[in-house]
Amino acid sequence: MSVTPPSAREFLAAASPGTRVVVRYRIDGGFTDALGDLLECGVTDCTVRTRTADVVIHLDRVVAAKQVPPPPARRSPRTAG
Protein backbone atom coordinates (compact mmCIF):
# COMPACT_ATOMS: atom_id res chain seq x y z
CA MET A 1 0.00 0.00 0.00
CA SER A 2 1.55 3.32 -1.03
CA VAL A 3 0.86 6.57 0.73
CA THR A 4 0.39 9.63 -1.45
CA PRO A 5 2.29 12.62 -0.06
CA PRO A 6 0.21 15.73 0.57
CA SER A 7 -0.02 18.31 -2.20
CA ALA A 8 1.83 21.58 -1.70
CA ARG A 9 -1.44 23.29 -0.76
CA GLU A 10 -2.30 20.54 1.74
CA PHE A 11 1.18 20.76 3.25
CA LEU A 12 0.92 24.54 3.69
CA ALA A 13 -2.60 24.31 5.16
CA ALA A 14 -1.45 21.71 7.71
CA ALA A 15 1.90 23.33 8.62
CA SER A 16 2.07 25.25 11.89
CA PRO A 17 2.84 28.95 11.81
CA GLY A 18 6.57 29.40 12.37
CA THR A 19 7.49 26.35 10.30
CA ARG A 20 10.49 27.11 8.07
CA VAL A 21 9.45 26.41 4.48
CA VAL A 22 10.43 26.89 0.88
CA VAL A 23 7.56 27.57 -1.53
CA ARG A 24 7.98 27.50 -5.31
CA TYR A 25 5.35 29.46 -7.20
CA ARG A 26 4.58 30.81 -10.65
CA ILE A 27 5.35 34.40 -11.61
CA ASP A 28 5.12 36.12 -14.98
CA GLY A 29 7.82 34.51 -17.10
CA GLY A 30 8.63 31.53 -14.86
CA PHE A 31 8.93 30.49 -11.24
CA THR A 32 10.45 31.83 -8.04
CA ASP A 33 10.94 30.59 -4.48
CA ALA A 34 10.14 32.05 -1.08
CA LEU A 35 12.31 30.71 1.76
CA GLY A 36 11.44 31.60 5.32
CA ASP A 37 8.96 31.15 8.14
CA LEU A 38 5.34 30.42 7.36
CA LEU A 39 3.27 33.13 9.05
CA GLU A 40 -0.17 31.91 8.02
CA CYS A 41 -2.06 29.96 5.41
CA GLY A 42 -5.63 30.84 4.53
CA VAL A 43 -8.11 29.60 1.97
CA THR A 44 -6.65 31.56 -0.96
CA ASP A 45 -3.10 32.52 0.02
CA CYS A 46 -0.22 32.03 2.43
CA THR A 47 2.35 34.41 3.86
CA VAL A 48 6.05 33.57 4.20
CA ARG A 49 8.44 35.84 6.14
CA THR A 50 11.70 35.87 4.17
CA ARG A 51 14.90 37.69 5.18
CA THR A 52 13.80 40.78 3.25
CA ALA A 53 9.99 40.92 3.40
CA ASP A 54 6.71 39.16 4.09
CA VAL A 55 5.65 37.50 0.83
CA VAL A 56 1.97 36.82 0.17
CA ILE A 57 1.57 33.92 -2.26
CA HIS A 58 -1.71 32.99 -3.92
CA LEU A 59 -2.18 29.25 -3.47
CA ASP A 60 -3.31 28.86 -7.10
CA ARG A 61 0.27 29.77 -8.11
CA VAL A 62 2.04 27.32 -5.76
CA VAL A 63 3.66 24.35 -7.50
CA ALA A 64 5.75 22.92 -4.63
CA ALA A 65 6.33 23.44 -0.93
CA LYS A 66 8.25 21.65 1.80
CA GLN A 67 9.66 22.09 5.27
CA VAL A 68 13.36 22.96 5.43
CA PRO A 69 15.87 22.91 8.30
CA PRO A 70 16.75 26.07 10.22
CA PRO A 71 19.40 28.33 8.70
CA PRO A 72 23.01 27.65 9.67
CA ALA A 73 24.42 29.66 12.56
CA ARG A 74 26.10 32.88 11.55
CA ARG A 75 29.87 32.79 11.61
CA SER A 76 31.87 35.15 13.80
CA PRO A 77 33.39 38.11 11.96
CA ARG A 78 37.01 37.67 11.05
CA THR A 79 39.54 39.79 12.85
CA ALA A 80 42.66 41.21 11.25
CA GLY A 81 45.62 39.19 12.28
Side-chain angles (χ1 to χ4, degrees):
M1 176 192 231
S2 71
V3 176
T4 304
S7 71
R9 288 177 77 153
E10 291 169 338
F11 164 75
L12 290 168
S16 300
T19 301
R20 186 166 165 83
V21 297
V22 62
V23 180
R24 174 154 292 180
Y25 60 101
R26 290 183 197 87
I27 58 171
D28 292 339
F31 299 91
T32 193
D33 297 325
L35 170 65
D37 296 325
L38 180 67
L39 294 182
E40 63 180 345
C41 185
V43 175
T44 59
D45 53 41
C46 67
T47 305
V48 177
R49 176 162 288 159
T50 69
R51 282 191 305 172
T52 57
D54 290 355
V55 180
V56 177
I57 305 165
H58 293 281
L59 294 175
D60 289 342
R61 295 181 171 260
V62 172
V63 296
K66 66 179 182 178
Q67 184 172 354
V68 294
R74 299 194 99 187
R75 296 193 308 189
S76 302
R78 291 186 175 185
T79 57

